[in-house]
Amino acid sequence: MEYEERYRQIESPKYGCLLFDLDDTLYPLSSGIAAECRRNIGDYLVEKLGIEESRVSDLCNLLYKNYGTTMAGLRAIGYSFDYDDYHRFVHGRLPYENLKSDPVLRPLLLSLPLRKVVFTNADKAHAAKVLQKMGLEDCFEGIICFETLNPPTSSRGTETSGEVFDIVDHFAGADAGGVALPRTPVLCKPSPDAMERALSIANIDPHTTVFFDDSVRNIQAGKRVGLHTVLVGTRHRVEGADHALESIHNMREALPELWEEAEKSDGIRYSGKVAMETSVTA
């Protein structure tokens, strides 16, 4: 009995799931989507929240650095707005025509009989649009997105009541390190709570999961919760990254063990169902 248990442990597959970030991971930064997204965020701050244009760059940088996303930071410092309105404004005008079907990535993904899940801070409409434009909508079991981790807002406008915490002035001051930053109600990468919640919702074992992301912070957060990590977009491996790929297309060359493991596995093969129909989004 003891021998059989030991044998089962030895034979257990090392990998059971692949967890992918979406933007600038499944497609390259050179698509221009990220630059347009930043521009749209800046326009939202000016047009919808009434923030002075001269303050937008510093504000966005600080919010992103300290909260993971500009949206999470805006909510932390006191701005109130409708999440759906924000996403429609920021993503609704993106040049999705820059994204094309990927004849290299699609067969790579489909050749692996492992669970494959997208984990993005973006909203579900954006995620669906990106996957559709790339011809990858049937390559994933599901999508963990903004709506998965965050309840809808009750506010329907962009009126902000109460005092807004001036984070730019805070970091410009001499006592910046002595005052705690306000917490955000938004769950998103690289927050440990967001990482653990996402894994729980999708029933993912981090110890048998490979996590692909272009963000160093997200990769390091993934490593802290036990994921095998792959930094995408560079050849240079950083602390917290088990591997570094210049392109997601290099998966097989950098991680041949995924395919070796798949060939040895006698488990259930990937079903090929459409991702949106079997989505784990809330």
Side-chain angles (χ1 to χ4, degrees):
M1 195 67 183
E2 181 182 348
Y3 171 82
E4 291 177 357
E5 180 62 26
R6 188 181 305 155
Y7 180 80
R8 279 195 294 269
Q9 291 176 358
I10 294 173
E11 289 299 302
S12 296
K14 182 177 180 181
Y15 302 113
C17 181
L18 306 180
L19 188 63
F20 293 90
D21 177 47
L22 181 74
D23 296 302
D24 303 326
T25 296
L26 293 183
Y27 63 83
L29 181 64
S30 60
S31 68
I33 297 291
E36 289 298 320
C37 191
R38 285 193 296 271
R39 183 176 292 109
N40 291 345
I41 290 172
D43 290 345
Y44 185 89
L45 268 59
V46 173
E47 296 177 26
K48 296 282 191 171
L49 300 182
I51 296 171
E52 293 180 16
E53 189 171 356
S54 61
R55 293 174 58 84
V56 164
S57 180
D58 288 343
L59 179 59
C60 286
N61 288 337
L62 285 172
L63 295 180
Y64 179 80
K65 178 181 178 181
N66 288 280
Y67 292 100
T69 67
T70 304
M71 174 197 266
L74 287 170
R75 291 287 286 115
I77 65 175
Y79 284 98
S80 178
F81 50 87
D82 180 64
Y83 294 154
D84 291 339
D85 179 66
Y86 179 93
H87 285 132
R88 279 193 297 268
F89 190 101
V90 170
H91 293 145
R93 301 179 294 172
L94 291 176
Y96 289 111
E97 65 275 10
N98 291 1
L99 300 176
K100 309 298 181 184
S101 294
D102 193 328
V104 176
L105 181 56
R106 178 179 170 80
L108 274 175
L109 293 173
L110 293 179
S111 68
L112 284 170
L114 303 171
R115 295 184 64 197
K116 290 177 281 289
V117 177
V118 169
F119 180 20
T120 176
N121 283 337
D123 60 295
K124 60 185 177 182
H126 172 72
K129 186 71 171 178
V130 168
L131 295 178
Q132 184 269 326
K133 294 295 290 185
M134 296 186 70
L136 302 177
E137 63 266 47
D138 60 344
C139 293
F140 299 95
E141 172 187 309
I143 302 170
I144 303 167
C145 61
F146 179 85
E147 291 91 341
T148 314
L149 302 179
N150 297 278
T153 47
S154 57
S155 171
R156 286 295 151 205
T158 54
E159 293 296 324
T160 298
S161 58
E163 186 177 350
V164 171
F165 178 82
D166 191 336
I167 192 171
V168 176
D169 185 63
H170 168 78
F171 279 100
D175 62 342
V179 179
L181 291 175
R183 292 178 59 84
T184 180
V186 173
L187 273 182
C188 64
K189 295 180 290 184
S191 157
D193 290 341
M195 302 292 294
E196 292 174 1
R197 177 68 176 148
L199 296 177
S200 175
I201 288 173
N203 192 28
I204 291 173
D205 178 358
H207 303 294
T208 59
T209 298
V210 184
F211 175 47
F212 300 81
D213 202 299
D214 67 293
S215 164
V216 172
R217 292 184 307 168
N218 293 347
I219 284 294
Q220 292 173 340
K223 193 64 183 174
R224 285 192 290 271
V225 299
L227 293 161
H228 301 272
T229 54
V230 182
L231 180 63
V232 179
T234 178
R235 292 194 183 112
H236 305 292
R237 195 161 62 87
V238 300
E239 183 179 354
D242 297 313
H243 302 274
L245 307 181
E246 189 169 14
S247 166
I248 197 70
H249 292 165
N250 303 130
M251 283 173 59
R252 188 158 196 161
E253 293 86 341
L255 296 160
E257 61 267 32
L258 290 176
W259 280 264
E260 292 166 4
E261 190 69 48
E263 289 172 3
K264 291 187 295 183
S265 175
D266 291 324
I268 298 174
R269 297 278 158 171
Y270 175 64
S271 67
K273 292 183 180 179
V274 177
M276 296 303 111
E277 294 180 351
T278 59
S279 175
V280 294
T281 53

